Amino acid sequence: MSDPVVAGPSLILLVRHGSTEWSDNGRHTGRTDLRLTEKGRHQADRLPPLLATLSDGALPLVFSSPLQRALETAHRAVPGVEATVVEALIEYDYGEYEGLTSAEIVERHPGWELFRDGCPGGENLQQVIARCDSFIAKLERTAKRRTVVVFTHGHLSRLLTTRLVGLDPQAGAVLQNDTASIGVVDDKRGQYVITGWNIRAH
């Protein structure tokens, strides 16, 4: 992807949902619609002051994956602001790898790398890139020069970040983000740059 010229929001805060039973166990959770655990709810409840600080108090536009772990995080983290649900923000479809740990997947497929190989019976890399690009286009249409907060998932948010800042999609492999963490993508002189990553309130 060529170097982007910013046409959308001036600040994008990417929030991974709070903890679930499967995220705590390292199991790949794509379309399985799990709720937050008590730990995850506590994580989400600690986010409002941090989000307010990172956004300099601006009233944001809020977008969320339709899965309940992301929506519940959004409702707790930005109370009083209704999140716009966007299907494109749903997590990778892991197909045959749904519910497996990385170690279990590598036993089946030595050398497997999600950001290169995709998932048998699920999505390939180009399909997820297309979803990310469709969301970026939506931001360019609806959120020009606004602050936006995006509640999504671990792998999807990492690939979305590579598309925003013009990195190779495989760079998503090194953008580790924990549950209820925030990534900050900021407009600096007409170029999106990562100015914060894996920022946590817990």
Side-chain angles (χ1 to χ4, degrees):
M1 187 176 183
S2 61
D3 289 344
V5 175
V6 170
S10 57
L11 178 67
I12 303 170
L13 303 178
L14 296 156
V15 186
R16 185 183 175 191
H17 62 77
S19 291
T20 69
E21 180 182 355
W22 281 16
S23 68
D24 283 347
N25 293 330
R27 298 170 67 184
H28 284 72
T29 319
R31 306 304 170 85
T32 303
D33 200 7
L34 299 180
R35 295 186 61 83
L36 299 180
T37 59
E38 182 178 354
K39 173 185 172 182
R41 292 189 292 272
H42 178 68
Q43 290 173 327
D45 288 342
R46 291 174 62 89
L47 286 173
L50 179 57
L51 287 170
T53 297
L54 292 172
S55 63
D56 285 331
L59 182 65
L61 294 175
V62 179
F63 299 90
S64 178
S65 158
L67 296 178
Q68 59 183 336
R69 58 190 183 271
L71 276 171
E72 185 176 359
T73 303
H75 293 156
R76 290 174 175 271
V78 193
V81 180
E82 184 175 357
T84 299
V85 173
V86 180
E87 290 289 334
L89 293 173
I90 201 167
E91 181 61 295
Y92 249 95
D93 182 347
Y94 296 120
E96 296 174 14
Y97 295 160
E98 182 78 3
L100 301 182
T101 66
S102 293
E104 290 169 334
I105 296 170
V106 171
E107 283 184 8
R108 298 185 181 191
H109 185 166
W112 175 76
E113 170 51 60
L114 174 68
F115 294 98
R116 180 190 65 224
D117 304 323
C119 301
E123 287 182 295
N124 62 42
L125 180 64
Q126 291 306 316
Q127 288 172 312
V128 186
I129 284 174
R131 291 201 281 116
C132 290
D133 289 352
S134 73
F135 179 65
I136 293 170
K138 180 180 180 67
L139 292 181
E140 292 173 349
R141 295 192 305 270
T142 64
K144 292 182 185 298
R145 316 313 305 157
R146 293 290 302 273
T147 293
V148 303
V149 184
V150 182
F151 291 87
T152 183
H153 306 272
H155 287 135
L156 190 284
S157 61
R158 290 155 69 176
L159 188 56
L160 176 59
T161 299
T162 69
R163 301 304 287 172
L164 285 164
V165 302
L167 294 175
D168 187 291
Q170 292 188 36
V174 302
L175 293 173
Q176 171 64 34
N177 53 348
D178 297 316
T179 53
S181 67
I182 303 171
V184 184
V185 176
D186 207 346
D187 174 9
K188 296 296 185 183
R189 297 179 296 278
Q191 169 79 35
Y192 278 138
V193 298
I194 300 170
T195 56
W197 192 257
N198 207 33
I199 302 169
R200 293 170 289 172
H202 54 280

